[in-house]
């Protein structure tokens, strides 16, 4: 038997007997229990308060604070503010919900992260908050990628001189006014801003694709056919409603219009679909194939079998017209 005694029963330990050692103090296994419920510690886990050891359940009910957010006991690190306590993960900014482990300020009596508090103050004063330093911008601001900045944070991409609020953005870079003016830049006819990517060329102007829209319903054409009238472009539906049938060739209001094959043409745009030669409607002979005009020369070049089929289809159509009469 050793001279070491159990801290609870003050009796010694038998040779080869299991000994519980915690913080340099020894216990019999049956003596190493919670001082409140007198039950062994589950998996040996215990919590100490004023030199006495408790199981987790009793420790939480007796001493652990309750989280102001989730209502659960807090074991370990605690965040406190105005007599309330939180788990670190529950102590968040009330505006953006991010954890406040990096520090916080009080805004309107509530814990708030520093960027959100600065943004709120800037909005209250009708000012911008710099996206780089998170300080209020008291002077003119510079806009880059949709965010406001102090101009002194940037230099011109070309000449490297400090920028002012007059700086302009192009291809994800910032330029001073002088360097910007040296660039060959297309400007959108709608928003008057530079076009850095794909552009639409129409009406003798350049457009952002999303800004080239019908002059009536304002829906983007998105690659679909458009029809011109004056200085405006229209979708087919609203062009027809507003101005009547457009020229099949130029998509504009037909001048001296010709109506053939359920289509309308300007007189000077009535071309052979095979050779693009202008057909004088008043004194030239032409034939129809798939509801399009062809001159006699192009028609003559067609295979004989195709011409027979076209002639047969025309005769059949004529008989149907006669029968209806």
């Amino acid at each position: 038997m050793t001279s070491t005694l159990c801290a609870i029963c003050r009796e010694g330990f038998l040779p080869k007997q299991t000994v519980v050692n915690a913080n340099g103090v020894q216990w019999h296994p049956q003596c190493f229990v919670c001082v409140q419920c007198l039950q062994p510690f589950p998996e040996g886990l215990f919590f100490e308060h004023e030199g006495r050891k408790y199981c987790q359940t009793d420790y939480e009910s007796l001493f652990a604070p309750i989280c102001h957010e989730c209502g659960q006991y807090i074991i370990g690190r605690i965040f406190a503010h105005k007599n309330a306590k939180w788990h670190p993960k529950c102590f968040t900014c009330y505006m953006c919900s991010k954890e406040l482990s990096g520090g916080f300020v009080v805004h309107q009596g509530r814990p708030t992260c520093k960027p959100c508090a600065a943004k709120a103050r800037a909005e209250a004063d009708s000012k911008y908050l710099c996206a780089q330093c998170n300080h209020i911008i008291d002077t003119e601001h510079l806009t880059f990628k949709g965010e406001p900045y102090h101009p002194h944070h940037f230099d011109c991409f070309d000449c490297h001189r400090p920028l002012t609020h007059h700086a302009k953005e192009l291809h994800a870079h910032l330029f001073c006014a002088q360097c910007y003016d040296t660039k060959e830049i297309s400007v959108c006819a709608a928003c008057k801003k530079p076009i850095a990517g794909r552009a639409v060329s129409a009406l003798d102007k350049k457009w952002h694709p999303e800004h080239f829209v019908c002059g009536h319903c304002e829906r983007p054409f998105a690659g679909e056919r458009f029809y011109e009238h004056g200085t405006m472009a229209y979708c087919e539906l609203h062009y027809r409603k507003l101005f009547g049938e457009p020229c099949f060739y130029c998509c504009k209001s037909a001048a001296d219009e010709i109506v053939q094959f359920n289509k309308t043409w300007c007189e000077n745009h009535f071309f052979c679909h095979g050779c693009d030669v202008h057909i004088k409607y008043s004194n030239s002979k032409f034939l129809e194939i798939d509801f399009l005009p062809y001159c006699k020369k192009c028609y003559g070049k067609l295979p004989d079998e195709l011409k027979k089929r076209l002639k047969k289809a025309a005769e059949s159509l004529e008989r149907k017209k006669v029968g209806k009469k």
Side-chain angles (χ1 to χ4, degrees), residues 169-171 180 184-201 205-211:
E169 182 178 352
L170 178 66
H171 304 310
Y180 182 86
E184 293 184 3
I185 303 165
S186 296
V187 177
C188 176
C191 67
K192 310 303 180 184
K193 293 183 179 180
I195 304 174
R198 189 168 66 91
V200 174
S201 297
K205 299 175 184 178
K206 300 285 187 179
W207 315 74
H208 288 113
E210 65 273 18
H211 293 160

Side-chain angles (χ1 to χ4, degrees), residues 33-40 54-55 58:
V33 295
C34 171
V35 298
Q36 182 70 16
C37 65
L38 302 179
Q39 296 298 313
Y54 299 83
C55 65
D58 288 328

Side-chain angles (χ1 to χ4, degrees), residues 37-228:
C37 65
L38 302 179
Q39 296 298 313
F41 299 111
E43 300 181 358
L45 178 66
F46 65 89
F47 296 83
E48 194 165 341
H49 182 74
E50 296 181 353
R52 308 181 75 189
K53 295 175 176 54
Y54 299 83
C55 65
Q56 182 172 350
T57 300
D58 288 328
Y59 180 84
E60 288 178 345
S61 62
L62 292 170
F63 310 111
I66 295 176
C67 178
H68 184 72
E69 177 66 24
C70 68
Q72 301 296 316
Y73 290 113
I74 304 174
I75 300 297
R77 192 180 181 196
I78 297 174
F79 279 83
H81 174 64
K82 286 190 174 181
N83 298 321
K85 297 177 174 59
W86 289 264
H87 292 105
K89 66 178 181 180
C90 295
F91 191 57
T92 59
C93 171
Y94 86 95
M95 297 180 71
C96 68
S97 299
K98 291 182 179 179
E99 292 185 22
L100 296 174
S101 56
F104 69 96
V105 295
V106 178
H107 178 69
Q108 296 182 347
R110 304 174 69 178
T112 313
C113 68
K114 295 177 182 179
C116 284
K119 184 178 181 180
R121 288 195 297 270
E123 290 176 351
D125 295 336
S126 299
K127 294 182 179 180
Y128 290 97
L129 187 71
C130 179
Q132 180 161 321
C133 66
N134 288 321
H135 290 165
I136 294 175
I137 304 174
D138 291 317
T139 58
E140 295 288 346
H141 72 282
L142 176 156
T143 300
F144 181 50
K145 295 183 178 180
E147 297 286 350
Y149 292 87
H150 288 108
H152 63 253
H153 291 309
F154 297 94
D155 293 334
C156 174
F157 185 73
D158 270 4
C159 68
H160 306 293
R161 289 181 294 182
L163 291 175
T164 68
H165 67 279
H166 295 295
K168 297 183 179 181
E169 182 178 352
L170 178 66
H171 304 310
H173 297 295
L174 286 171
F175 298 85
C176 64
Q178 292 84 352
C179 292
Y180 182 86
D181 290 341
T182 65
K183 311 294 180 185
E184 293 184 3
I185 303 165
S186 296
V187 177
C188 176
C191 67
K192 310 303 180 184
K193 293 183 179 180
I195 304 174
R198 189 168 66 91
V200 174
S201 297
L203 307 174
D204 297 322
K205 299 175 184 178
K206 300 285 187 179
W207 315 74
H208 288 113
E210 65 273 18
H211 293 160
F212 185 53
V213 300
C214 171
H216 185 78
C217 65
E218 297 186 350
R219 291 182 59 185
F221 293 110
E224 296 181 0
R225 193 173 190 180
F226 63 90
Y227 298 81
E228 297 181 27

